[in-house]
Amino acid sequence: MPSEAISRIALLGNPNAGKTSLFNSLTGLNQKTGNFPGVTVEKKVGHFVLESHGKVELIDLPGTYSIFPKSFDEEIVFEFLTTNDESKRPDALVLVADVTNLRRNLFLFTQAYDLNIPVVLALSMVDIAEKDRSNIDLALLESRLGVPVVAINARKGLGIKELKEKLSSIDYSSRKTLLDVSKITDIPIDEIKKAGNTDNPYLALTRLTYSGTNVLLNSSHSDLAISLRSKIDSEELKTNEIVERYKSIDALLQDVVVNRDGIKRLSLSSKLDKILIHRVWGIVIFAILLLGVFQAVFTLAQYPMDWIDESFAWLISYSQNALPQGAFFDLLTEGLLAGIGGVVIFIPQIAILFACLSLLEESGYMARVVYMMDNVMQRFGLNGRSVVPLVSGAACAIPAIMSARGIANWKERIITIFVTPLISCSARIPVYTILIALVIPEERVLGIFNLQGLTLFSLYLLGFLAAIGSAYAMKFIIKTREKSFFIMEFPRYKIPQMKNVVFTIYIKTRAFVFEAGKIIIAIATVLWVLASYGPGEQMKDAAENVRMEYSHLEEAQLQKKVSAVMIENSYAGHLGKFIEPAIEPLGFNWKIGIALLTSFAAREVFVGTMATIYSIENDDGDNLPLKRRMAQELNPDTGEKFYNPAVGLSLMVFYAFAMQCMSTLAIVYRETNSWKWPMLQLVYMTALAYVSSLLVYNLFS
């Protein structure tokens, strides 16, 4: 039978079934993949060409075990598949099923099938099933299901051509549903179909049971729909459906999956899990791995960082000799190059951090971490799935907060979103590392650990403790009767694909450089203007006074004093002086005050701001790296080094807790649909940062 026109196809499947790999293979795009449930948390859209149908839109839906809308990402799937607006529903589905757990994957398939959307079943992980000595009778399965079935390996491009052929010739003739709706409800089918605005009884019943009230009110039989809704016990209905579906699935699968030797072997993943998720050794191994990651961030990145630092110093020096003097020259050398160089230098450390996280994720280990931490998380008002955003928060809070969509319980999801920004993200690395290099000696502890690396690890640990401590307090503040549950499927361990690791490093590093770069260029320009000009004749008068008072000094020393007093009397200096009384108890001076203000947009701007300030202030042609310039800063009251351990640790703790990220506030607003939570976050984290910083400064002074 000829197929109808197809313009939109959706990929559906359980978490970690391989949907995104198939999406990338079909569209040629490079959406993030991972050996980890919950990588896709919102719809992704691409296009590919299907023979006889032309260009087709392909939508990658979030992974789900059923169409029951329990969590935010599952609601996205439910709304997309059951919407009343037929023009927004997909013309066809590709249901990606992990063949190593076919029975559970077919549950979602049977639900999608009964929505009367044409579907092709794509079986993934067939190679793994064969290694387990399991045979899949594709022809028998296809015959029993009555839909096209194809085995695929999206990463290797196997089965893609066959999948396209199946989609091109998919049969649109009417089919019987697999589930007899009359077996799970006593409500007359005719009434269900009328109230649900469709002749498909399962689709009608699903809309009546799980759709929002607005959907019912928009029904042409809204009174009937609301009346029937009041009679439905959704939990009882769900239980009945699960029982009936698994009865039919068990019958369908009989003789389809056959173990060649009839012996169920313990897989390598199962053997590794005996150690890696052990309640004691599992935690110890995880802690050692994290410690190793932070040691690597500091030790492996040192050489490329030194090279980048020296390269920018050379570039600035070359520009000073090659370009004509003037305002643009000053803006380029003292503002833009100094500001950008101050951030680019941290690319090696960020790349190493993302490489380590990507390797752990690709290997399948991170899913085990989620499982191990569930018991701990529950005690603090969180969920095992909260580990996903908390760990992801070490990279960036924005995708981490979005990944909280997989948490079904409202209270646990809100708490997770609220505390995730306390986890130290990659934007804090430039702040931490410049301060650690300034105040923490480069020494070995116990002969193997780098003290600077241990300090960085402690800052991440501090953020984690603050997050779970805050979550524990919120557990008693937020009240809800909603029950919590945790389901996690372990993916198999596998050797990470270096292509995916490199791609992750590239995407994350590029985002860091370009997203931060745009802000830094804008702020560096504004800051250079504020630091180069001042009200009235103040800067000029101050410079003349210094030249008269220190006329006995050599020209180089005199120029340093003139530059310092000029920036102090600039607009930027006045701004810093204005907030100095508020931050002085924390050990901060007016220069840090300027950086605190400019870095409210993004934390990494702190370093770019300091680089610009010190570049303008030390306009002596030395072009020293920022770290050395900051190290030369003296306390005007004591004459000793300004950046001592008390100031450095106080500033590190401030940045560990302060919100200082407008993008995070915006994403929290979007995810909670309210300004209440981002504003509470801003106030709470700012207060926590200030008080903690005050305590640390006084403790170490």
Side-chain angles (χ1 to χ4, degrees):
M1 174 177 247
S3 61
E4 297 180 8
I6 295 178
S7 62
R8 180 187 296 146
I9 295 174
L11 295 179
L12 184 66
N14 288 183
N16 208 38
K19 290 186 298 83
T20 305
S21 293
L22 179 57
F23 178 84
N24 289 341
S25 181
L26 286 170
T27 63
L29 297 177
N30 279 310
Q31 294 295 334
K32 177 178 171 55
T33 62
N35 189 20
F36 189 62
V39 171
T40 306
V41 293
E42 61 182 352
K43 289 185 290 187
K44 301 285 191 329
V45 180
H47 295 86
F48 73 104
V49 176
L50 196 57
E51 189 177 349
S52 76
H53 292 277
K55 190 175 181 180
V56 176
E57 183 182 66
L58 184 67
I59 299 172
D60 185 17
L61 295 169
T64 180
Y65 294 105
S66 71
I67 64 167
F68 303 136
K70 301 183 294 298
S71 61
F72 190 81
D73 50 351
E74 290 170 342
E75 285 178 11
I76 293 174
V77 177
F78 175 79
E79 294 294 335
F80 185 73
L81 297 180
T82 65
T83 177
N84 274 322
D85 188 347
E86 292 294 332
S87 66
K88 294 182 178 178
R89 297 182 76 201
D91 300 317
L93 289 173
V94 175
L95 195 137
V96 183
D98 176 357
V99 78
T100 62
N101 206 333
L102 192 55
R103 182 173 181 266
R104 194 206 55 227
N105 281 254
L106 284 184
F107 182 84
L108 177 62
F109 166 83
T110 61
Q111 286 188 309
Y113 180 96
D114 285 342
L115 295 174
N116 207 25
I117 302 172
V119 57
V120 172
L121 180 61
L123 299 180
S124 62
M125 320 285 183
V126 176
D127 53 336
I128 295 175
E130 289 177 348
K131 286 180 182 176
D132 290 343
R133 306 185 66 76
S134 293
N135 283 345
I136 313 298
D137 191 334
L138 297 183
L140 181 59
L141 183 62
E142 185 171 278
S143 170
R144 286 182 177 172
L145 293 176
V147 302
V149 178
V150 58
I152 62 166
N153 186 328
R155 295 194 177 199
K156 295 182 179 178
L158 302 177
I160 303 302
K161 182 180 177 184
E162 291 80 359
L163 175 62
K164 289 182 176 179
E165 290 173 354
K166 299 280 187 184
L167 282 168
S168 294
S169 59
I170 192 169
D171 187 357
Y172 278 76
S173 58
S174 59
R175 304 168 302 180
K176 293 181 180 179
T177 56
L178 294 172
L179 177 71
D180 183 353
V181 171
S182 64
K183 290 186 177 180
I184 62 173
T185 180
D186 296 329
I187 300 174
I189 300 300
D190 288 342
E191 291 189 15
I192 291 173
K193 291 195 291 187
K194 187 186 293 183
N197 280 341
T198 174
D199 289 332
N200 181 320
Y202 180 66
L203 175 59
L205 182 62
T206 303
R207 284 176 179 166
L208 284 174
T209 307
Y210 306 112
S211 293
T213 307
N214 286 340
V215 175
L216 301 185
L217 293 175
N218 289 332
S219 166
S220 55
H221 303 281
S222 58
D223 291 340
L224 177 62
I226 293 171
S227 172
L228 293 184
R229 171 77 162 264
S230 66
K231 298 177 183 177
I232 296 173
D233 181 336
S234 62
E235 290 302 318
E236 181 181 350
L237 188 73
K238 192 185 299 180
T239 303
N240 293 340
E241 181 182 340
I242 291 171
V243 171
E244 289 299 322
R245 286 198 183 280
Y246 273 116
K247 282 182 184 174
S248 61
I249 291 170
D250 288 340
L252 283 168
L253 285 180
Q254 192 168 14
D255 300 326
V256 168
V257 182
V258 179
N259 188 283
R260 288 200 290 271
D261 54 16
I263 299 172
K264 192 174 178 65
R265 293 181 170 83
L266 196 62
S267 67
L268 178 61
S269 291
S270 299
K271 293 174 183 174
L272 289 173
D273 282 341
K274 285 183 175 297
I275 302 172
L276 295 178
I277 62 174
H278 188 274
R279 60 181 180 177
V280 176
W281 295 117
I283 299 292
V284 172
I285 291 171
F286 179 51
I288 292 173
L289 281 174
L290 280 184
L291 187 58
V293 167
F294 294 114
Q295 290 288 310
V297 165
F298 245 95
T299 54
L300 298 182
Q302 192 58 50
Y303 293 108
M305 288 180 72
D306 289 342
W307 180 81
I308 292 172
D309 205 7
E310 292 170 3
S311 298
F312 266 87
W314 175 85
L315 184 60
I316 293 172
S317 177
Y318 176 79
S319 302
Q320 287 172 338
N321 295 325
L323 297 177
Q325 301 288 316
F328 175 74
F329 166 82
D330 292 339
L331 170 62
L332 180 67
T333 57
E334 297 172 355
L336 297 180
L337 287 178
I340 294 172
V343 172
V344 171
I345 189 175
F346 298 103
I347 287 178
Q349 288 182 322
I350 288 168
I352 291 171
L353 176 65
F354 283 122
C356 293
L357 292 178
S358 181
L359 287 171
L360 293 176
E361 183 179 312
E362 277 275 318
S363 68
Y365 177 70
M366 289 307 296
R368 273 75 181 178
V369 174
V370 171
Y371 166 76
M372 281 192 298
M373 298 301 287
D374 181 54
N375 281 338
V376 178
M377 294 290 108
Q378 292 280 356
R379 295 174 188 173
F380 291 93
L382 298 168
N383 182 291
R385 285 193 176 274
S386 301
V387 175
V388 179
L390 293 180
V391 172
S392 303
C396 178
I398 294 170
I401 287 170
M402 290 176 65
S403 68
R405 291 176 178 182
I407 301 171
N409 184 284
W410 174 83
K411 176 180 175 180
E412 292 170 346
R413 180 167 173 266
I414 286 293
I415 293 177
T416 303
I417 290 174
F418 194 89
V419 304
T420 293
L422 286 166
I423 300 296
S424 287
C425 62
S426 58
R428 289 175 168 107
I429 287 183
V431 184
Y432 288 161
T433 49
I434 190 76
L435 294 171
I436 288 173
L438 271 175
V439 302
I440 305 297
E442 193 173 352
E443 296 177 354
R444 291 278 170 186
V445 177
L446 301 177
I448 52 173
F449 296 115
N450 180 298
L451 182 58
Q452 294 180 333
L454 283 177
T455 307
L456 183 64
F457 175 73
S458 302
L459 286 166
Y460 275 77
L461 183 62
L462 183 67
F464 176 74
L465 293 176
I468 62 171
S470 302
Y472 186 71
M474 291 181 72
K475 173 183 176 181
F476 299 101
I477 296 172
I478 299 178
K479 304 293 182 186
T480 179
R481 293 181 178 177
E482 195 177 355
K483 292 181 179 177
S484 173
F485 60 91
F486 172 68
I487 301 173
M488 168 60 71
E489 179 192 4
F490 284 172
R492 286 175 177 255
Y493 290 107
K494 61 184 180 185
I495 298 173
Q497 284 203 333
M498 292 315 296
K499 175 185 170 186
N500 290 342
V501 175
V502 172
F503 179 70
T504 299
I505 296 170
Y506 168 70
I507 290 295
K508 298 293 185 183
T509 307
R510 188 185 66 173
F512 172 78
V513 172
F514 286 96
E515 292 303 318
K518 287 185 287 188
I519 300 172
I520 288 166
I521 288 175
I523 290 180
T525 305
V526 173
L527 188 62
W528 176 83
V529 172
L530 292 175
S532 300
Y533 299 94
E537 299 292 324
Q538 283 189 23
M539 292 177 70
K540 181 180 176 184
D541 294 343
E544 288 178 355
N545 291 336
V546 169
R547 287 189 182 281
M548 286 189 291
E549 185 177 352
Y550 297 98
S551 58
H552 59 283
L553 294 178
E554 292 182 1
E555 181 57 27
Q557 292 177 302
L558 183 61
Q559 185 57 42
K560 283 186 177 180
K561 288 195 174 291
V562 169
S563 299
V565 77
M566 285 183 72
I567 195 171
E568 195 169 348
N569 285 274
S570 66
Y571 288 114
H574 282 282
L575 189 63
K577 292 282 184 182
F578 177 74
I579 67 167
E580 191 173 29
I583 58 175
E584 200 170 33
L586 312 182
F588 305 162
N589 61 11
W590 59 272
K591 295 174 191 172
I592 295 176
I594 296 173
L596 292 180
L597 290 176
T598 56
S599 63
F600 178 74
R603 298 178 181 94
E604 57 270 41
V605 174
F606 171 86
V607 178
T609 300
M610 298 300 276
T612 302
I613 291 173
Y614 279 92
S615 176
I616 294 173
E617 186 183 64
N618 295 278
D619 186 19
D620 50 15
D622 285 349
N623 298 320
L624 295 175
L626 174 62
K627 184 176 74 175
R628 290 175 61 184
R629 289 185 170 180
M630 291 177 71
Q632 292 175 356
E633 175 89 12
L634 299 178
N635 187 320
D637 298 326
T638 63
E640 298 177 350
K641 284 188 176 182
F642 175 78
Y643 288 98
N644 55 33
V647 173
L649 291 172
S650 172
L651 195 49
M652 280 186 259
V653 169
F654 185 89
Y655 270 94
F657 294 150
M659 171 57 84
Q660 302 289 104
C661 183
M662 287 195 295
S663 300
T664 300
L665 291 172
I667 200 69
V668 172
Y669 165 73
R670 195 182 87 172
E671 294 297 302
T672 61
N673 199 28
S674 165
W675 278 111
K676 170 186 170 184
W677 296 108
M679 289 302 101
L680 283 173
Q681 256 179 334
L682 177 62
V683 172
Y684 171 70
M685 291 179 67
T686 303
L688 181 64
Y690 191 93
V691 173
S692 302
S693 183
L694 182 66
L695 291 173
V696 168
Y697 179 68
N698 284 282
L699 185 64
F700 286 90
S701 291

